[in-house]
Amino acid sequence: MENKRKYDFQRQMQARHIIMLSLGGVIGTGLFLSSGYTIQQAGPFGTILSYLIGALVVYLVMLCLGELSVHMPETGAFHSYAAKYIGPGTGYTVAWLYWLTWTVALGSEFTAAGLLMQRWFPSISVWIWSALFAILVLALNAWTVKFFAESEFWFASIKVFAIVIFIILGAAAMIGFIPMINAQSAPLFSNVTSAGLFPNGAFAILMTMLAVNFAFSGTELIGVAAGETVNPEKTIPKAIRMTLWRLIIFFVGTIVVLSALLPVSDASVLESPFVAVLERIGVPYAADIMNFVILTAILSAANSGLYASSRMLWSLADKKTISPIFAKLTKRGVPLNAVLFSMLGGVLALFSSIIAPDTVYIVLVSISGLAVVIVWMSISASQFLFRRRYINEGNSVNDLAYHTPLYPFVPIVSFMLCLASCIGIAFDPTQRIALYCGIPFILFSYGSYYLTQTIKKRGVDNEE
C-alpha cells in the first residue's frame, strides 16, 4: 500500500532565515505603535519590568519547544506534539486557535498597511493598497519556500536595522552626546523615575503583562518551520538562542530609550512614540522614515502569518482531521491550497474589520489574543509529558540532541506563568471579552473534533 506523498516539503531554510522569520512575526505594530500606551499604563519602570518578565516567559517556552522540535522536526510542529502527548482533541484545537490568530492578524495588517500609504498617496483608497499588499504576500508564499524565506529575511532586516539605529541614537541622546531639541540635554534616566516606579500601582504590571505576552508572540514560528529547515538538530537550537537574546535587546533596549526620552504625560497621546523621539533628537523626515519602517514591519508580519497559518492547515490535513485537499503540495513543496484558504480567511477578517469592527472583528481579535498564550501552554505541557514518556520507555536524556534544562522546573514554571496571564484577563474589563469569546471557541473546537471523529468511525463501521 503506497502512502508516500507525490511531493514533499523541501528543507531549504537556513538558521538566518529561521531567526528572521521569528523576528518578523514578533516585531510589528505592537512595538512600533502601541508601546507608548503601555508606558503610560504601567509607567516607564513598570513597562521595562514587564518586558523583562515577558522575555523570561518566552525563553522558558522556547526551551521546551527546542527539545520537541529537534527530536521531532515537523511542519506545523506544536499542534502535532499536543495531539501526541496531551490528546488528539487538544492538538486539533491548538491548530485552529493558532490558524485563527494569524488569519485575523492578516486582516488587520493589510488594513494598517493601506492606512500608512495614505500619508504619501492620500487620493488612493485604502482598500486598493490593502489588495495590492495581499497579492504581494500571497505571491511570496506561493512560489517556493526558499523564495519566501529570502523575502522574509530582507523584510525583517529593515526593521531590525531601524531598531538598532534607534537604540544607538536614543542612547547617545540620553547621555548628552546628541543634543535634544526643546528638551533638557542628557536626560539619562530622569524620566524613568520622575513619576515614581509604579505611578498606577504595581497591579498595572499584570495588566501590561498580557499585552507584553502578545507582543512576544511569533517566536514560536521556529517550531512551525522545523520541518522545512536544513539540519534541524543544529539549526533550531541556534535559532532559539539567537532569536531570544536579540528579542531581549530589541524590545527592552527600545523600551528603555522610549521611557528615558519621552515624558509619561506625552506617551499615550502619540500615534508612534518612535516618531516623537526621533523628532526630539532632530532626525529629518522622522515621520516618513518611521512610516516606511512600520510598513515593512507590517508586511513582514503578514508574510510570516500567512506562512504559519497555511502550515497549520497542512498539518491538520496531514493528520487526516480535515479534508486531504489541504495536504497537497506543489512540486516546489508549497501547500498551495492551504495558503489560498488562509489568505481567504485573512480577507474575511479584513472585511469584518471594516464592516463589523465592534462585533465580529472584536470577537476574532479577542480569541486570537488569548490563543497565543494557550498555544504556549500546550508547548510546555507537551514537553513535560514527552520527557516523562521518553524516560519511562527506558531512554536516556543524554541521547536527545537537544534537551530542555532544569526539567521539570522549566515546563511547569512556563505553564504557570502563561496561566497567570489568562487569569489576569478576568480582572481587566477591556480584555475580559477574550475569555467570553475564547472559551466558547475552544469548547466548539473540541466538540467539532469528537463529533467528526464519531461520524468518521460510524462510516468505517458501516462499510465493514
Side-chain angles (χ1 to χ4, degrees), residues 256-271:
V256 168
V257 169
L258 289 175
S259 301
L261 299 181
L262 267 188
V264 180
S265 55
D266 293 358
S268 65
V269 295
L270 302 162
E271 186 184 355

Side-chain angles (χ1 to χ4, degrees), residues 175-228:
I175 61 175
F177 190 73
I178 297 177
M180 292 188 66
I181 297 169
N182 301 325
Q184 66 179 105
S185 57
L188 295 173
F189 294 99
S190 56
N191 276 341
V192 175
T193 54
S194 60
L197 294 182
F198 305 108
N200 296 324
F203 194 70
I205 290 183
L206 181 61
M207 297 300 102
T208 53
M209 267 310 307
L210 307 174
V212 167
N213 274 350
F214 302 150
F216 276 115
S217 65
T219 331
E220 69 291 326
L221 278 167
I222 292 170
V224 177
E228 295 170 84

Side-chain angles (χ1 to χ4, degrees), residues 127-406:
W127 73 265
I128 293 175
W129 289 115
S130 297
L132 286 172
F133 289 134
I135 292 165
L136 171 66
V137 169
L138 179 62
L140 293 174
N141 273 267
W143 191 244
T144 65
V145 173
K146 192 170 185 180
F147 186 64
F148 156 77
E150 204 62 43
S151 67
E152 184 56 27
F153 176 81
W154 292 107
F155 264 147
S157 295
I158 292 170
K159 58 187 177 187
V160 167
F161 178 74
I163 289 171
V164 170
I165 295 297
F166 177 80
I167 292 171
I168 291 169
L169 287 175
M174 282 167 63
I175 61 175
F177 190 73
I178 297 177
M180 292 188 66
I181 297 169
N182 301 325
Q184 66 179 105
S185 57
L188 295 173
F189 294 99
S190 56
N191 276 341
V192 175
T193 54
S194 60
L197 294 182
F198 305 108
N200 296 324
F203 194 70
I205 290 183
L206 181 61
M207 297 300 102
T208 53
M209 267 310 307
L210 307 174
V212 167
N213 274 350
F214 302 150
F216 276 115
S217 65
T219 331
E220 69 291 326
L221 278 167
I222 292 170
V224 177
E228 295 170 84
T229 304
V230 179
N231 298 326
E233 66 282 350
K234 291 182 180 176
T235 306
I236 299 296
K238 183 182 177 185
I240 286 174
R241 282 195 304 272
M242 294 187 75
T243 301
L244 286 164
W245 70 254
R246 287 183 187 189
L247 276 179
I248 292 165
I249 290 170
F250 295 156
F251 273 81
V252 178
T254 300
I255 295 298
V256 168
V257 169
L258 289 175
S259 301
L261 299 181
L262 267 188
V264 180
S265 55
D266 293 358
S268 65
V269 295
L270 302 162
E271 186 184 355
S272 173
F274 281 76
V275 174
V277 168
L278 289 174
E279 284 177 345
R280 285 177 181 225
I281 293 172
V283 176
Y285 307 109
D288 287 308
I289 292 167
M290 284 315 299
N291 207 54
F292 173 73
V293 171
I294 295 166
L295 182 64
T296 58
I298 287 169
L299 292 177
S300 166
N303 204 25
S304 295
L306 184 57
Y307 173 85
S309 53
S310 64
R311 270 38 177 196
M312 276 294 146
L313 270 189
W314 174 87
S315 188
L316 279 169
D318 187 56
K319 297 284 185 288
K320 298 181 173 56
T321 50
I322 59 171
S323 171
I325 194 170
F326 296 115
K328 288 183 178 177
L329 297 172
T330 65
K331 62 182 178 182
R332 296 190 181 96
V334 175
L336 189 60
N337 292 335
V339 170
L340 292 171
F341 188 80
S342 297
M343 179 55 88
L344 177 64
V347 170
L348 291 174
L350 176 64
F351 279 123
S352 74
S353 71
I354 298 163
I355 297 162
D358 298 327
T359 50
V360 178
Y361 189 66
I362 193 70
V363 168
L364 292 175
V365 169
S366 299
I367 295 170
S368 71
L370 182 66
V372 175
V373 181
I374 292 172
V375 166
W376 288 0
M377 289 167 71
S378 80
I379 291 169
S380 301
S382 298
Q383 191 274 327
F384 177 84
L385 296 169
F386 158 73
R387 177 77 73 88
R388 194 168 66 177
R389 188 189 297 184
Y390 187 77
I391 292 168
N392 288 343
E393 288 172 352
N395 298 303
S396 170
V397 176
N398 296 327
D399 294 335
L400 290 169
Y402 176 88
H403 59 84
T404 305
L406 302 175

